[in-house]
Amino acid sequence: MTAGEGLRGLFAPASIAMVGATDKSGWSVATFANLRRHGFAGPVYLVNPRTEVVHGERAYRSLTDLPGPVDLVYVMVPTPVVLDVLKEGSRLGIRNYVVLTAGFGETGAEGRGREEELTAFCRANGLIVLGPNGNGYINTSDGRAPLLTHSADGSSLTDHSARSSARRSGAGITPYGLPIPPPLLRGSVGVVLQSGALASSVLAFSQARGIGLSLLTSMGNEAVVSVTDVIDHLVDDPATRVIALFLESIRRPEEFARVARRALAAGKPIVALKIGRSGLASRTAQAHTGALVGDDAVIDAAFRQLGVVRVRSLEDLIITAGLLASSGPLPGPRLGVVTPSGGASEIIADRAEDEGLELPAFAEETVARLTEIMPDFGSVANPLDVTGYVVVDRTLLGRALRIVAEDPGIDVVMLLSDLPRAEPPDPEPVFRLYEKSARIIEESPRPVVIVGNVLTDVGSFARTLQDRTGYPHVVGGIEHGLSAIGAAVRWSSARERAAVRPRAATPPPVVRGER
């Protein structure tokens, strides 16, 4: 059985029981509301031995009293009785659990003892447990592969209808203990976090940027299911193209290296925000999770060797993952830039150098073609400032983009362009303009990355425009955009190096749940 098969029941249950459900708990109220609001199609059973009605619905005294089968148990009972719930569920043949309850390995010697007892029981009885001390997960995927595709060399999009797929909203499976505001955008970024509190912020930011997720999971203490288990699952998940990690510690270094190599071989980038670079952060993480954090210099070197993209902020984590999900591999560091702003050109030049990106001079033929279409007061250079004349000639930016994309010395084209923030009185001309731009980008012989000037939310009209016209994902802001492009180029290079290395012998299997 593969890891993907092993966790499929955890992340795609047909029925859920909430044990410890109560109107007095915000966790319970939020979890139940999430399941209802986001369209979970199966039955949700509420279990509370002290009352007959919870959240306006019938409550049952125990798992044994439920009228139908249960695929997943969401556990919210007090710490001392968590194991009793698992034992009852195990007797009934229930295999999958999310344990919200805290008070285990993160609390000291007594808590570690409880967690060791829980882990031993789960191993002995084949139970799959996410947590304890975790918020749960959000699964937006319906099990299908994303529609977004690339050409054989990964350099350009080939399916026009796929461009808006990551922005589609729909039903989800949301046993998650904090409120999830609609709409829930379905996409191809799988997010794994060793933090419960940050999960909601990551979700909100990704939704605001129009970056759809396939899965978001809060790991908790990893007593049974580990980060590496979930990565393994996401490598096999057809709905996930990119894996984003927030890591406080790497509990199983050898296992992490194995799954990172699997992801690289499968062409699925791993983007990681690994904290603990400072002494204070390292001590804080150890107190939070009860796990050792590890030497940061060693981790940094290991990430480079394994092709794991390391970022420094939550914004870069999601923006970089979103870019890689929409662009696929980027073939090289030679960047051709098209922008309507001279000031932005100077910022881009500085940030490109920071990221190890090149801004080569355009070929003579490119310069000649651009000179023909540029206004007399403009000049042709890379970055190309087509000037504010784009307000007069709305086709200028697109025509310049087409020419730059055909330059033989360019690997990737960066187009600086913001999405509209408000719907105009007559939106049809705007739709037609963006549809033409989308066609130019789709037909480009080089991958085109669209970057906004600053980091702003993608509003409802902008989402409608993208869905209707097929206009691609827009990366948020020059600062984060150049970071993401640089990271994507480095990952693409690591992937190429891995492809030409001779294959090593297959490592021995690793027992799930070992610490």
Side-chain angles (χ1 to χ4, degrees):
M1 176 181 291
T2 68
E5 291 170 336
L7 295 187
R8 195 163 293 128
L10 173 68
F11 291 129
S15 56
I16 297 174
M18 293 173 53
V19 179
T22 171
D23 293 320
K24 298 177 182 178
S25 167
W27 299 103
S28 183
V29 171
T31 303
F32 185 73
N34 288 336
L35 291 167
R36 289 290 186 246
R37 180 183 298 126
H38 297 290
F40 177 65
V44 178
Y45 301 112
L46 305 176
V47 177
N48 186 321
R50 294 183 177 86
T51 183
E52 295 181 354
V53 178
V54 175
H55 308 324
E57 298 196 6
R58 178 182 176 182
Y60 299 86
R61 292 185 59 81
S62 67
L63 288 171
T64 304
D65 295 330
L66 297 182
V70 172
D71 295 323
L72 173 70
V73 178
Y74 192 85
V75 183
M76 300 177 288
V77 299
T79 306
V81 294
V82 167
L83 187 55
D84 293 336
V85 173
L86 300 186
K87 289 178 177 178
E88 181 186 15
S90 179
R91 289 195 299 271
L92 296 170
I94 303 170
R95 191 181 181 207
N96 302 295
Y97 301 81
V98 172
V99 179
L100 175 77
T101 309
F104 290 88
E106 79 281 3
T107 61
E110 184 178 353
R112 284 194 295 273
R114 283 198 196 99
E115 187 166 315
E116 288 169 3
E117 185 180 8
L118 181 150
T119 302
F121 177 80
C122 293
R123 286 181 186 164
N125 292 275
L127 303 188
I128 295 176
V129 176
L130 182 63
N133 187 32
N135 290 351
Y137 67 83
I138 299 166
N139 182 3
T140 71
S141 168
D142 58 5
R144 295 178 298 178
L147 299 177
L148 195 60
T149 58
H150 292 79
S151 58
D153 63 359
S155 62
S156 62
L157 291 165
T158 58
D159 183 358
H160 176 81
S161 65
R163 292 197 183 272
S164 63
S165 64
R167 289 181 291 276
R168 292 177 183 169
S169 59
I173 303 171
T174 53
Y176 181 76
L178 294 171
I180 307 169
L184 187 58
L185 301 184
R186 190 178 76 214
S188 54
V189 176
V191 181
V192 187
L193 303 110
Q194 287 179 327
S195 170
L198 287 179
S200 293
S201 297
V202 168
L203 174 67
F205 181 73
S206 66
Q207 305 289 278
R209 286 302 313 151
I211 298 170
L213 306 182
S214 57
L215 178 74
L216 180 145
T217 181
S218 167
M219 294 303 306
N221 291 4
E222 302 179 56
V224 179
V225 175
S226 69
V227 165
T228 51
D229 293 328
V230 180
I231 295 172
D232 240 346
H233 168 78
L234 293 174
V235 170
D236 294 330
D237 177 25
T240 299
R241 293 178 56 85
V242 180
I243 301 164
L245 309 176
F246 173 83
L247 300 174
E248 292 178 326
S249 63
I250 297 177
R251 299 170 188 252
R252 307 176 187 173
E254 292 183 0
E255 181 82 345
F256 183 88
R258 182 188 69 81
V259 297
R261 291 190 185 100
R262 268 197 83 215
L264 190 63
K268 292 194 177 185
I270 295 178
V271 184
L273 172 58
K274 169 66 177 69
I275 57 89
R277 290 185 294 123
S278 68
L280 177 60
S282 177
R283 292 191 296 274
T284 301
Q286 184 172 353
H288 182 201
T289 63
L292 296 177
V293 176
D295 184 270
D296 190 71
V298 173
I299 290 169
D300 208 42
F303 278 9
R304 286 195 299 271
Q305 184 179 21
L306 295 168
V308 175
V309 175
R310 190 172 188 182
V311 296
R312 302 298 186 188
S313 70
L314 289 171
E315 291 87 351
D316 280 331
L317 177 68
I318 297 304
I319 288 171
T320 302
L323 169 62
L324 280 161
S326 62
S327 72
L330 298 181
R334 299 176 300 174
L335 196 63
V337 178
V338 180
T339 166
S341 168
S345 296
E346 295 162 4
I347 299 172
I348 292 167
D350 287 343
R351 287 293 291 116
E353 183 174 298
D354 295 340
E355 295 296 330
L357 300 169
E358 303 169 19
L359 295 172
F362 293 133
E364 289 185 9
E365 182 181 353
T366 302
V367 172
R369 294 174 64 193
L370 289 171
T371 301
E372 291 180 1
I373 68 169
M374 285 282 288
D376 294 339
F377 52 85
S379 61
V380 175
N382 187 18
L384 175 67
D385 172 19
V386 297
T387 76
Y389 197 73
V390 291
V391 176
V392 178
D393 182 354
R394 302 293 293 275
T395 70
L396 179 58
L397 200 65
R399 289 188 291 149
L401 172 64
R402 194 188 296 272
I403 293 170
V404 170
E406 293 174 355
D407 189 299
I410 297 299
D411 297 314
V412 180
V413 181
M414 172 180 162
L415 173 64
L416 192 70
S417 178
D418 288 307
L419 290 166
R421 298 182 185 177
E423 182 174 356
D426 181 9
E428 290 305 319
V430 178
F431 287 138
R432 288 195 294 271
L433 177 65
Y434 275 84
E435 193 168 29
K436 289 178 181 178
S437 298
R439 193 174 302 114
I440 292 171
I441 292 166
E442 185 175 8
E443 294 170 353
S444 169
R446 309 282 188 278
V448 177
V449 177
I450 309 169
V451 177
N453 283 276
V454 294
L455 184 58
T456 56
D457 290 354
V458 179
S460 59
F461 175 68
R463 292 182 185 180
T464 299
L465 180 147
Q466 289 180 294
D467 288 339
R468 178 165 163 176
T469 66
Y471 195 77
H473 173 68
V474 177
V475 181
I478 296 172
E479 170 67 25
H480 298 290
L482 267 297
S483 294
I485 294 172
V489 168
R490 290 190 291 275
W491 176 81
S492 303
S493 177
R495 185 191 180 207
E496 289 181 4
R497 291 195 302 271
V500 300
R501 291 193 200 113
R503 291 190 176 182
T506 303
V510 177
V511 177
R512 300 282 168 222
E514 287 189 347
R515 298 179 73 90

